[in-house]
Amino acid sequence: MFDFNLLPVHSVYSRRVFKGLLVLLALSGGLAQALEPWQEPLPKQLPSVAWPTQAWPTAEPVLATDSATLARDVDAFFERVGWSGATDTRALLVIQSGHIVVERYAPDFDSRTRFHSWSAAKTYTQALAGILIKDNLLQLDDPAPVPQWRSKDDPRGEITLRHLLHMTTGLDNADASGFVSDALFGDGAVDVANYSAERELQHPPGTHWEYSTATSTILAGVVGRAVGDNAQQRRDFMQSRFFAPIGAADTVFEFDAQGHFLGGSHLYANAHDYARMGLLYLRDGVWDGQRIFPPGWVEFTREPAPVDNNGVYGAHVWLNLEPKEGQMKLLPGAPLSAFGAAGNSGQYVMVVPSHDIVLVRLGEIQPQGEATMLEGMDFLHHALAQLLTNFPALPSAPSAEES
Amino acid sequence: MMSSWKKRIGLSLMVILLVGGVYGYRNMSHFSYTGAGFVAHTVCSCVHVAKRTEASCTADMPSAASWASIAQIDAGGARGVRATVPFLADRSALHRPGFGCILQ
């Protein structure tokens, strides 16, 4: 046993304090090894790095490889390599420790071009819900305030905000059924949130995971009703509480004719502003000293929805945990703690805490010949993972194998 | 003079064709309505929110959307896009600055 009396300290009190610190150190080491990927600490903005509220600072990348390898891996997004279809990337950004270190656009596109988010909008809707929870205007485990579900015996009255965020409502509105097309562009288009809320339950709430854009539009309806009764009030809320504080005021959420925003699919932002959203999550919901999200929100975001058939999904974000059979890994070979927003045709905002990196890829996937959209997405996931290998992990970050 | 069984077969075939035609038309109509809505909204947003040219926006449309004709419109000062499938669907999306394109 170690003899603390041998320590070069000058008093019994000092030796007791030192012994206590050693015990705490040992305990904290043990606790760190027990952390789940979504609990791993998020890196903080260095005091010497300006927040990109006005403009993104730029820097030369700190590389784990070399500039030639980085250039090759960036080129892969813009050239027809590795896959028979067109990659059709229109914007690619890498943010490292709060700086733009890689930025490239296809011809006719630039940093001012607004790109369609498709389902990456879902993460924005999640953010707005988080802000309202911070304001105590919404509660995670209360019944979701949806007017159609309020009658006394309606089983949908058991659906909570948590179920909406995790996509475990049990409603018959899965994207796989084709309902999303009707809701957004067909019979539901003029009143998407309410049209989506009319669906019946297929499973008890909280028992079954199903990817559903309609669920996100219901969530958008909940958020919208909590902040006002018209589109202007809802837009003012998202601008003043989310977009403007992080310097992303150019972002546009689209609305339907009833004044609800299309929270599952229709947001337009430029590449710099998508990266700002990613940085906000990377910095645990704090922006330049101002807390935007409630404490613990990003950890909740990154935790997988607690049902058996969960498709590696958190609270309206995709996770980099090991996928179920037949599903795609978000960033193959990258740490399990990575997570991100993803949209149709390859819109990605990937957050990699272990490397203090945000990756943004925007554009189209245009399968040709025998190639399919899923193959295109798989190509992009591997290309993003390959791009990440150019950058070193932070010194104390666990490796992918250790996560 | 046609025998009665031939008349029955002929009548049955006509009913089948009529029912099939109605069913097919309704499906086509629904498909066209939704598809034209997609085209109108997506092209409107691409032109007026993303500020791209109509040609670059229509180039991003899936090939199935080629059956819809597209026109830029101005409805009482609100600019937008109309997508039409002859005899089947006519949809419009109008741009409201700050709120995107809104499908009508």
Side-chain angles (χ1 to χ4, degrees), chain A residues 322-334:
Chain A
E322 291 312 318
K324 304 286 191 296
E325 188 183 334
Q327 291 175 340
M328 221 177 286
K329 183 100 155 103
L330 192 66
L331 284 176

Side-chain angles (χ1 to χ4, degrees), chain A residues 9 13 53-54 60 65 104 127 132 165-166 178 214 239 245 255 290 295 307 312 337 352 379 398:
Chain A
V9 288
Y13 174 77
T53 313
Q54 302 303 322
E60 286 301 310
T65 55
R104 185 168 162 184
L132 290 174
L165 286 161
H166 280 154
Q239 278 291 335
F255 285 70
Q290 179 185 357
V307 291
V312 290
S337 54
V352 191
F379 172 86

